[in-house]
Amino acid sequence: MPDRETMPSAPAPEVSERAAALPQDALRTASGYAFTGPALHLGALLWDGQCLPDAQIRVPLAMLNRHGLVAGATGTGKTKTLQLIAEQLSAQGVPVFLADIKGDLSGIGAPGRQDARVEGRAGDVHQSWTATGFPAEYYALGGIGRGIPVRATVTGFGPVLLSKVLRLNRIQEQSLALIFQYADSKGLELIDLKDLSAVVTFLTSDEGRPELKTAGGLSAATAGVILRSLTAFEAQGASGFFGEPEFDTSELLRTSEDGRGVVSVLELSAVQDRPQLFSTFLMWLLADLFHDLPELGDVDKPRLVFFLDEAHLLFDDASEAFLESIAQTVRLIRSKGVGVFFVTQTPKDVPADVLAQLGNRVQHALRAFTPDDQKALNATVKTFPESPYDLAEVLTGLGTGEAVVTVLSEKGAPTPVAATRLRAPESLMGPLGQDALERAVGESALYERYAQAVDRESAYERLARGRGAKGPDEMREAAPREPRELREHREHREDERASAVEQVVGSGGFQSLARPVGTQIGREITRSLFGTARRSGRRRR
């Protein structure tokens, strides 16, 4: 059942009578959080080293689709903060997605344990704490880990995201987009990685080379780089992430029978050594939702809220085009009722264009042990509105479970900066036991739908039939390899060639490849900002 403290209630007074006795600056700060509509409770105001429980710090439910940032040094309580927010969203009927990189968020599905620390925190902030578990589904990328397997087809994933995973440069990314367009136009379904390898190999063979002649062709050097990158990618165990059944992201929008939002926990601890993959996979989930959700405009509550932990991994080594796509997706998906919270160590981990769109901020403690730490601290202070606090001093002195907060008010204006002692989560603060987790996964209604991988006929099988049924390794070996002595010359000229490829992509010959020709794919050729393909037909929700 929804938490009694987060249920919609009658308009609250501006501040309580006892809070009215606060110092003027503290009273002004507290008044900035006295919202009249439904809101989530974050904690109580800290002022001059004292916790003031009558001055409650909250965030309006309607503003949670304006995105947010939870930042702070390791061990300062970021994970517990996102768990606290996720619980209250679920209680308000809002589905939540959690990227569980460290493996300690699965406990949200079980009631918490009351102890002296929880009791002390609840007493400090006037929280009526009740041990509560929330409806949860547990997922794992490609079934690596304990969870319902989440897979995507190569076609659904698209060339832009795949280029980031493969660490392709600009010209190689554009060539990969050309390959995807060709496969679409010819009905060659790219389900898994061997399908993509087969198409690349075919397009550099004597038989396939003329196919892209009008669009500038595919150079042997670029094809070789793509194929070698795919081989290395598969060697990391990535094959299981691509295939069918492809995960339907509308599953993330469900509510339970009692009206609470389902919390979808994607376990990523088993793939921590592949950060490029899981961070990019998260953007696929977001991009796929962006395709299919209708515009809502301003809403009383979000349709879904994403929490992307270790958010810096999204932006590390990213191309300018990829960063622009992230910024544009974050900007546009708000009107579809989806909020995105980035969880990372410092605001500088997030590009300025994205950071500017994050209206809700929860900043935990920062350290200033080194000159670089001091620079990061100073940069963080500059991102906050002016306030009576000495933020540099406050941010280095916060304890675990304390943070500096500013959110968007019901009118969309930033609230005063408030040092806050945060509430304690009511669900289990730690991982669910292995037996309980496996039982929850096995009993899920989604398990039967996604557990078993399916390998049906696609591009690899069709092309192999026409080429003597060679295996994937043989097909890769058939691709021309780039002579080592030409590599430096190629790299020197790639920037010059990039502009020429851009012209080709916009040419009439290339565009003709993108016209539907009655393929068996059943997908729209039109792709999103990230190059991901739309599903045909109606969704389950």
Side-chain angles (χ1 to χ4, degrees):
M1 293 295 292
D3 188 297
R4 56 186 174 277
E5 294 180 293
T6 58
M7 289 281 287
S9 58
E14 289 191 5
V15 289
S16 70
E17 291 182 5
R18 283 181 291 181
L22 297 174
Q24 190 62 36
D25 284 337
L27 178 60
R28 186 179 301 112
T29 298
S31 298
Y33 293 87
F35 310 122
T36 59
L40 309 187
H41 294 255
L42 298 180
L45 182 68
L46 287 171
W47 197 268
D48 286 339
Q50 300 296 315
C51 182
L52 307 176
D54 295 305
Q56 289 290 306
I57 304 303
R58 307 187 299 157
V59 54
L61 183 61
M63 292 293 111
L64 268 296
N65 69 329
R66 304 298 179 93
H67 312 314
L69 176 73
V70 178
T74 301
T76 55
K78 298 189 299 295
T79 300
K80 301 302 179 286
T81 295
L82 70 89
Q83 187 171 344
L84 171 68
I85 298 173
E87 289 178 352
Q88 295 186 65
L89 284 167
S90 174
Q92 294 274 22
V94 177
V96 178
F97 175 89
L98 302 178
D100 189 10
I101 291 177
K102 297 185 287 292
D104 53 2
L105 286 171
S106 59
I108 199 167
R113 299 189 183 105
Q114 190 167 8
D115 57 25
R117 293 178 62 185
V118 169
E119 290 175 354
R121 176 56 58 99
D124 285 348
V125 299
H126 283 187
Q127 175 187 8
S128 179
W129 190 92
T130 303
T132 308
F134 294 82
E137 290 280 9
Y138 300 99
Y139 300 99
L141 281 188
I144 296 181
R146 293 165 297 178
I148 298 164
V150 175
R151 304 181 185 89
T153 64
V154 171
T155 289
F157 204 70
V160 178
L161 291 175
L162 190 58
S163 294
K164 181 177 188 292
V165 173
L166 298 178
R167 298 179 179 271
L168 303 183
N169 63 24
R170 183 165 54 127
I171 184 140
Q172 293 156 0
E173 178 180 333
Q174 291 163 345
S175 295
L176 187 62
L178 183 66
I179 294 165
F180 269 70
Q181 293 285 9
Y182 172 79
D184 278 340
S185 71
K186 298 300 183 182
L188 296 171
E189 291 194 81
L190 303 178
I191 303 299
D192 51 28
L193 294 178
K194 71 177 185 295
D195 290 322
L196 180 57
S197 295
V199 173
V200 175
T201 302
F202 172 73
L203 291 173
T204 53
S205 68
D206 292 339
E207 180 185 359
R209 196 174 295 115
E211 293 286 330
L212 295 183
K213 186 175 182 180
T214 58
L218 176 66
S219 74
T222 297
V225 170
I226 293 173
L227 288 171
R228 286 191 292 276
S229 297
L230 287 171
T231 300
F233 193 34
E234 288 182 285
Q236 296 174 10
S239 296
F241 305 129
F242 295 93
E244 290 182 323
E246 185 173 54
F247 183 70
D248 186 341
T249 52
S250 68
E251 310 285 12
L252 304 179
L253 303 173
R254 296 181 301 127
T255 56
S256 63
E257 292 182 358
D258 62 6
R260 292 184 295 173
V262 172
V263 181
S264 299
V265 183
L266 178 63
E267 180 188 338
L268 295 167
S269 56
V271 292
Q272 285 194 63
D273 57 338
R274 281 158 277 181
Q276 289 280 334
L277 174 64
F278 70 67
S279 64
T280 309
F281 213 98
L282 295 179
M283 289 312 300
W284 168 76
L285 290 173
L286 199 59
D288 196 71
L289 282 165
F290 177 80
H291 280 163
D292 299 294
L293 293 176
E295 294 284 336
L296 290 180
D298 292 329
V299 291
D300 293 334
K301 63 182 181 181
R303 176 181 275 153
L304 171 69
V305 177
F306 257 69
F307 289 87
L308 304 183
D309 201 1
E310 302 294 341
H312 66 92
L313 298 173
L314 284 174
F315 310 111
D316 289 348
D317 301 321
S319 67
E320 193 65 32
F322 185 81
L323 293 176
E324 290 174 1
S325 297
I326 291 178
Q328 192 168 358
T329 298
V330 171
R331 182 169 61 252
L332 297 177
I333 204 167
R334 178 191 67 79
S335 64
K336 299 194 174 190
V338 177
V340 183
F341 274 69
F342 296 91
V343 184
T344 189
Q345 293 201 12
T346 73
K348 73 174 186 176
D349 292 335
V350 181
D353 287 348
V354 176
L355 188 63
Q357 300 174 50
L358 309 183
N360 303 297
R361 298 275 303 277
V362 181
Q363 176 66 58
H364 287 265
L366 290 174
R367 310 305 180 205
F369 300 139
T370 69
D372 285 344
D373 290 342
Q374 189 63 51
K375 288 180 182 179
L377 174 63
N378 293 337
T380 299
V381 169
K382 292 178 181 178
T383 65
F384 280 91
E386 290 187 11
S387 76
Y389 293 101
D390 181 342
L391 284 180
E393 180 179 345
V394 170
L395 285 173
T396 54
L398 291 170
T400 301
E402 297 176 345
V404 169
V405 173
T406 180
V407 301
L408 292 181
S409 71
E410 293 165 310
K411 296 181 179 179
T415 59
V417 176
T420 306
R421 181 161 294 166
L422 298 165
R423 293 187 170 208
E426 296 186 338
S427 58
L428 181 64
M429 290 186 279
L432 200 61
Q434 182 173 343
D435 291 344
L437 181 57
E438 290 179 353
R439 184 165 57 252
V441 171
E443 292 175 353
S444 169
L446 302 182
Y447 185 77
E448 185 176 352
R449 187 177 303 162
Y450 294 107
Q452 186 63 46
V454 176
D455 187 12
R456 61 185 175 86
E457 181 176 279
S458 48
Y460 166 71
E461 287 80 11
R462 291 185 60 193
L463 290 171
R465 277 205 312 270
R467 306 188 71 195
K470 294 180 180 179
D473 294 334
E474 294 175 288
M475 297 182 76
R476 287 196 187 111
E477 289 298 324
R481 292 184 176 272
E482 178 183 24
R484 184 171 60 86
E485 60 270 16
L486 296 181
R487 187 181 307 122
E488 291 185 6
H489 179 67
R490 171 184 59 78
E491 292 173 349
H492 179 72
R493 291 185 56 83
E494 276 183 341
D495 284 341
E496 299 176 15
R497 293 170 54 203
S499 61
V501 173
E502 288 169 353
Q503 294 174 11
V504 168
V505 170
S507 69
F510 179 85
Q511 294 299 324
S512 68
L513 290 176
R515 298 190 185 103
V517 289
T519 73
Q520 66 183 32
I521 294 180
R523 293 177 182 268
E524 298 178 28
I525 300 301
T526 303
R527 295 183 181 274
S528 74
L529 298 171
F530 285 103
T532 52
R534 298 184 179 184
R535 294 183 179 88
S536 63
R538 296 181 61 184
R539 288 187 160 256
R540 281 189 279 276
R541 292 186 62 83

